[in-house]
Amino acid sequence: MQLANVDVRGEGILLEPTLKEFVDKVALARPEWTFTFDPAKDQYHTTTRCMQNNSRAPEDTEYALRMSVTQNSRHLGVVSIQRNVSRDPTKKWCLTVTSENIKSRRGNITKTTNMDTAVRHAKNYLKCPSLGKIVYGAVTETCGSYDNALHKLEMTIARGHLVPSLEGAQILLNALVRNQPPDTRLLSMFSEVMHGNKFEKAMSEFMLAQHMRFLVQGTIPIHLMDGLYAFFADNELLSGPREVAEKSEPQLVPFEALPLEWQNNLAVLQLMEDGEVVKDVGYRKDADNFVIVR
C-alpha cells in the first residue's frame, strides 16, 4: 500500500524496500509532509538490487534510493538509503537524512543503520524553514538576477563591442577635449556606426541600466508567497550577515496594503516578460519575484 503523501513517479519505479519502510514510518507520523521521487531529477538515484540482501528487483523495475520532502511546496530536505563500506553484513547500508538544519562534521547529513534513529532524525531535522529564511533566499536570488540583467544591458557598450577601434575613439576624444579638428576619416567611421540601429539600441540599454543602478530612491526586492507580498523593510539586512537577515521578521502583506507607488509598479511588471527591466518601475525575475523602484 502506498500512502497518500508518498509520490513515486516514473514507470517501473518502486521504493527500495528498506527505504520504503523508513519513508512510511515518517509519512504516517507527518501527514502534512509530501515525499516525492521524480525520475527527471533523481534519475541517478536508482538501483536494481535490494540494499539488505542484494536480491534483484522485479523484472523491468528499479528501486528508488531517495525522496525529497516538502511541506506546502517548501523543501524540507531529503531522505535516502546509501551503501556502506563495512565488513559487518548488517551495516552494508545506511539511512540518511539531509537538511540545512543539520550541522555536523559530515555536513548537512545524518547516517545510521538503525531504523528508529533514522525516523527520529527525520522528525527532528526536517523542519519548515522560518519565514525570514524563505524570504531572504528568494530576494537575494532575485537581486542577483537583477544585477545580471543590468550587466547584460551594459555589456555591449561597456566592452566597446561596436566601436571600430579603441585607439580611434581615444584619438577623436583627444581632439575634442583639446578643441582640435578631428580626423575626418575616423569621424566618418565612428559616425556611421553610432547612427546605426545596433549602436542606438545598445546605448539605450546601457543608459537604462545606468539609470536604474543609481536611482536616488533605490529599489526593493519583493517575493510573492501564498498570495501575500514579502519583503524586508530594512534593505541593509540584505548586505549584512546572512544569519541576522534569516532570523529577522520580513513584512508579509496583501497587495492592497502596499504603498500605492509599489502597487502601480507591480501592476506594470506583472504584464512584462520574465527578465525584463522597466525604467523607473523595476525588474521582473518571474511571476513571484520582483525588484521595484521605491
Side-chain angles (χ1 to χ4, degrees), residues 200-215:
E200 288 184 1
K201 179 175 180 292
M203 182 56 74
S204 67
E205 290 176 345
F206 178 83
M207 296 305 293
L208 168 61
Q210 289 286 292
H211 175 79
M212 296 298 285
R213 280 196 191 280
F214 300 107
L215 286 168

Side-chain angles (χ1 to χ4, degrees), residues 53-78:
N53 55 27
N54 206 36
S55 61
R56 281 194 171 276
E59 189 175 355
D60 298 326
T61 300
E62 289 185 303
Y63 288 136
L65 298 177
R66 60 175 268 159
M67 300 205 84
S68 294
V69 187
T70 58
Q71 181 177 350
N72 299 325
S73 300
R74 294 171 190 164
H75 184 69
L76 306 185
V78 173

Side-chain angles (χ1 to χ4, degrees), residues 199-242:
F199 188 87
E200 288 184 1
K201 179 175 180 292
M203 182 56 74
S204 67
E205 290 176 345
F206 178 83
M207 296 305 293
L208 168 61
Q210 289 286 292
H211 175 79
M212 296 298 285
R213 280 196 191 280
F214 300 107
L215 286 168
V216 174
Q217 64 270 47
T219 57
I220 186 167
I222 293 183
H223 173 58
L224 177 61
M225 56 183 297
D226 302 328
L228 299 174
Y229 290 83
F231 58 92
F232 290 102
D234 182 4
N235 245 8
E236 291 188 5
L237 281 172
L238 302 181
S239 56
R242 175 175 180 165

Side-chain angles (χ1 to χ4, degrees), residues 7-266:
D7 182 11
V8 181
R9 303 172 186 174
E11 188 175 347
I13 300 292
L14 297 174
L15 280 181
E16 195 280 335
T18 305
L19 178 62
K20 184 179 188 313
E21 181 184 353
F22 174 33
V23 168
D24 284 352
K25 285 177 181 288
V26 182
L28 282 170
R30 295 288 189 269
E32 69 274 18
W33 294 354
T34 301
F35 298 76
T36 306
F37 176 86
D38 185 349
K41 299 177 181 178
D42 303 318
Q43 57 181 317
Y44 300 113
H45 298 278
T46 61
T47 184
T48 57
R49 295 279 185 175
C50 174
M51 288 289 190
Q52 278 205 13
N53 55 27
N54 206 36
S55 61
R56 281 194 171 276
E59 189 175 355
D60 298 326
T61 300
E62 289 185 303
Y63 288 136
L65 298 177
R66 60 175 268 159
M67 300 205 84
S68 294
V69 187
T70 58
Q71 181 177 350
N72 299 325
S73 300
R74 294 171 190 164
H75 184 69
L76 306 185
V78 173
V79 294
S80 73
I81 187 167
Q82 298 179 1
R83 293 195 183 279
N84 259 347
V85 179
S86 175
R87 293 180 180 179
D88 186 339
T90 66
K91 296 181 179 179
K92 291 292 185 182
W93 53 269
C94 65
L95 296 168
T96 75
V97 176
T98 305
S99 167
E100 289 187 1
N101 296 316
I102 299 170
K103 309 296 180 185
S104 71
R105 289 177 296 175
R106 291 175 175 171
N108 299 331
I109 188 170
T110 66
K111 297 182 179 183
T112 180
T113 56
N114 184 284
M115 179 67 70
D116 291 338
T117 302
V119 172
R120 185 169 67 251
H121 286 167
K123 291 178 181 178
N124 289 341
Y125 293 121
L126 296 178
K127 297 177 181 177
C128 199
S130 68
L131 180 61
K133 191 170 189 177
I134 294 170
V135 175
Y136 177 82
V139 299
T140 51
E141 185 175 327
T142 299
C143 287
S145 296
Y146 176 50
D147 188 64
N148 289 338
L150 295 183
H151 179 70
K152 186 176 179 181
L153 291 172
E154 294 167 330
M155 188 182 301
T156 302
I157 294 298
R159 297 187 178 180
H161 287 167
L162 297 178
V163 295
S165 72
L166 180 59
E167 296 83 355
Q170 292 180 91
I171 291 171
L172 287 174
L173 182 59
N174 178 67
L176 175 65
V177 299
R178 296 176 185 278
N179 201 27
Q180 297 174 351
D183 182 302
T184 55
R185 182 184 62 84
L186 282 176
L187 184 61
S188 176
M189 288 172 55
F190 275 78
S191 179
E192 184 178 352
V193 169
M194 292 181 174
H195 282 91
N197 292 333
K198 282 186 178 181
F199 188 87
E200 288 184 1
K201 179 175 180 292
M203 182 56 74
S204 67
E205 290 176 345
F206 178 83
M207 296 305 293
L208 168 61
Q210 289 286 292
H211 175 79
M212 296 298 285
R213 280 196 191 280
F214 300 107
L215 286 168
V216 174
Q217 64 270 47
T219 57
I220 186 167
I222 293 183
H223 173 58
L224 177 61
M225 56 183 297
D226 302 328
L228 299 174
Y229 290 83
F231 58 92
F232 290 102
D234 182 4
N235 245 8
E236 291 188 5
L237 281 172
L238 302 181
S239 56
R242 175 175 180 165
E243 296 77 13
V244 175
E246 289 181 344
K247 290 178 181 178
S248 64
E249 195 67 25
Q251 301 289 314
L252 190 64
V253 300
F255 183 81
E256 299 76 18
L258 293 170
L260 182 59
E261 295 84 356
W262 294 19
Q263 293 183 33
N264 292 337
N265 289 343
L266 283 167

